Amino acid sequence: MDGNGRWAELRRRPRTFGHLRGARIARETIEACAELGIENLTLYAFSTENWLRPLEEVSFLMALLSRHLRRERETLIKNNIRFRAIGELDRLPASVRAEVDKTIADTAHCTGLLLTFALSYGGRQDLVEATRQIALKVAAGELDPLQIDENCVAAHLATAGQPDPDLVIRTSGESRLSNFLLWQNAYAEFLVLPTLWPDFSREKLLEALAWYSQRERRFGKVSSHAESPATV
Ligand code: FPP
């Protein structure tokens, strides 16, 4: 959800104004995804690197997150949306952590869209933690190193049990992953939109899904329509 700051600066307003509008667009996008029958949505709301922003901005984002969860909890339940969070949740202020935990608990019975907030999340940290957990199991004699394969690594990541993303939408024209689900996005279709996040909309989501539906996902293999290679 990139571009909140620039959106506000273009309007000569403080960056926090962009984050406020960004939170509203996040809410609308979540509702649109639930309505469209999308099964999984992950929002990269705060990266491990975002802690390095000015304290004032970090505090604003934490307060916004807390308020957003408190206000939206009932709507999530009404829309049958299950909430979860990935990332270094221990780094969140206690009040935010409490809202996160309550939202997870209160929506645990929901069976529709699985909404994941990546909070204080970093793909590299996710891989480091998975490696540590695997190493501990090996050291304890619970895991044979020969059993370590892709499924084993995936099962130790924060997203264990969830499918890999099909489509990543990055707003504001930046064409980088910024430490987002590095392992899990190996074969995701990556769509970069020039739109700043506060200008994202249901229409743009539908356009992105239409684009995705035209993609041919080969997963490293040849096209199913490709002719057989000539024999030599
Ligand atoms: C990136 O824009 C956005 C963030 C780091 C925060 C994302 C947070 C929200 C959308 C609001 C809170 C979210 C929820 C779901 C309640 P940027 O600040 O990097 O913008 P810039 O690149 O233009 O500076």
Side-chain angles (χ1 to χ4, degrees), residues 79-148:
N79 290 330
N80 197 24
I81 297 172
R82 183 154 64 99
F83 176 82
R84 68 182 303 240
I86 55 170
E88 298 171 332
L89 305 183
D90 291 344
R91 292 182 73 181
L92 299 174
S95 56
V96 180
R97 180 68 199 262
E99 295 297 345
V100 167
D101 289 345
K102 182 160 171 49
T103 311
I104 292 172
D106 288 2
T107 63
H109 63 284
C110 296
T111 54
L113 172 72
L114 175 60
L115 168 67
T116 304
F117 273 20
L119 296 172
S120 188
Y121 178 85
R124 287 186 173 183
Q125 290 80 356
D126 197 358
L127 279 162
V128 167
E129 187 51 33
T131 307
R132 187 178 292 134
Q133 294 307 321
I134 291 170
L136 285 169
K137 285 186 185 171
V138 170
E142 293 166 17
L143 182 66
D144 178 348
L146 293 176
Q147 287 176 323
I148 301 171

Side-chain angles (χ1 to χ4, degrees), residues 1-9 15 18-27 30 43-47 50 53 57 60-61 64-69 117 119 170-172 174 176 196-198:
M1 299 183 286
D2 203 10
N4 293 346
R6 276 164 285 169
W7 184 88
E9 280 157 19
R15 295 173 55 80
H19 293 316
L20 270 178
R21 166 85 178 200
R24 196 176 104 197
I25 301 300
R27 191 186 72 221
I30 294 164
L43 293 179
Y44 200 9
F46 198 86
S47 73
N50 286 155
R53 291 187 175 206
E57 185 171 343
F60 183 89
L61 280 169
L64 181 60
L65 193 61
S66 198
R67 197 180 68 187
H68 180 89
L69 291 174
F117 273 20
L119 296 172
R170 174 138 195 182
T171 53
S172 92
E174 306 289 1
R176 52 176 179 268
L196 301 175
W197 175 252

Side-chain angles (χ1 to χ4, degrees), residues 1-226:
M1 299 183 286
D2 203 10
N4 293 346
R6 276 164 285 169
W7 184 88
E9 280 157 19
L10 282 169
R11 287 158 181 78
R12 298 182 197 282
R13 303 292 297 268
R15 295 173 55 80
T16 48
F17 183 63
H19 293 316
L20 270 178
R21 166 85 178 200
R24 196 176 104 197
I25 301 300
R27 191 186 72 221
E28 291 173 10
T29 305
I30 294 164
E31 283 180 16
C33 286
E35 248 180 74
L36 291 165
I38 287 170
E39 291 174 3
N40 283 281
L41 171 68
T42 303
L43 293 179
Y44 200 9
F46 198 86
S47 73
T48 44
E49 292 74 24
N50 286 155
W51 290 115
L52 300 172
R53 291 187 175 206
L55 183 60
E56 213 181 40
E57 185 171 343
V58 170
S59 303
F60 183 89
L61 280 169
M62 289 298 138
L64 181 60
L65 193 61
S66 198
R67 197 180 68 187
H68 180 89
L69 291 174
R70 205 167 44 247
R71 284 189 178 170
E72 296 303 317
R73 214 150 29 224
E74 286 310 311
T75 314
L76 292 178
I77 296 167
K78 201 177 84 212
N79 290 330
N80 197 24
I81 297 172
R82 183 154 64 99
F83 176 82
R84 68 182 303 240
I86 55 170
E88 298 171 332
L89 305 183
D90 291 344
R91 292 182 73 181
L92 299 174
S95 56
V96 180
R97 180 68 199 262
E99 295 297 345
V100 167
D101 289 345
K102 182 160 171 49
T103 311
I104 292 172
D106 288 2
T107 63
H109 63 284
C110 296
T111 54
L113 172 72
L114 175 60
L115 168 67
T116 304
F117 273 20
L119 296 172
S120 188
Y121 178 85
R124 287 186 173 183
Q125 290 80 356
D126 197 358
L127 279 162
V128 167
E129 187 51 33
T131 307
R132 187 178 292 134
Q133 294 307 321
I134 291 170
L136 285 169
K137 285 186 185 171
V138 170
E142 293 166 17
L143 182 66
D144 178 348
L146 293 176
Q147 287 176 323
I148 301 171
D149 57 10
E150 291 191 11
N151 289 333
C152 172
V153 174
H156 288 84
L157 293 169
T159 48
Q162 282 179 241
D164 285 343
D166 292 314
L167 169 64
V168 176
I169 303 173
R170 174 138 195 182
T171 53
S172 92
E174 306 289 1
S175 47
R176 52 176 179 268
L177 261 178
S178 296
N179 212 4
F180 181 57
L181 300 176
L182 296 181
W183 169 282
Q184 299 88 332
N185 278 326
Y187 281 100
E189 297 291 328
F190 195 66
L191 179 62
V192 177
L193 295 179
T195 313
L196 301 175
W197 175 252
D199 288 327
F200 193 72
S201 60
R202 186 190 172 91
E203 290 67 39
K204 296 212 183 314
L205 174 67
L206 291 173
E207 280 168 28
L209 295 175
W211 174 85
Y212 172 78
S213 70
Q214 298 302 313
R215 305 295 303 158
E216 188 197 18
R217 304 189 73 194
R218 292 190 293 277
F219 298 95
K221 302 177 203 138
V222 294
S223 163
S224 52
H225 310 301

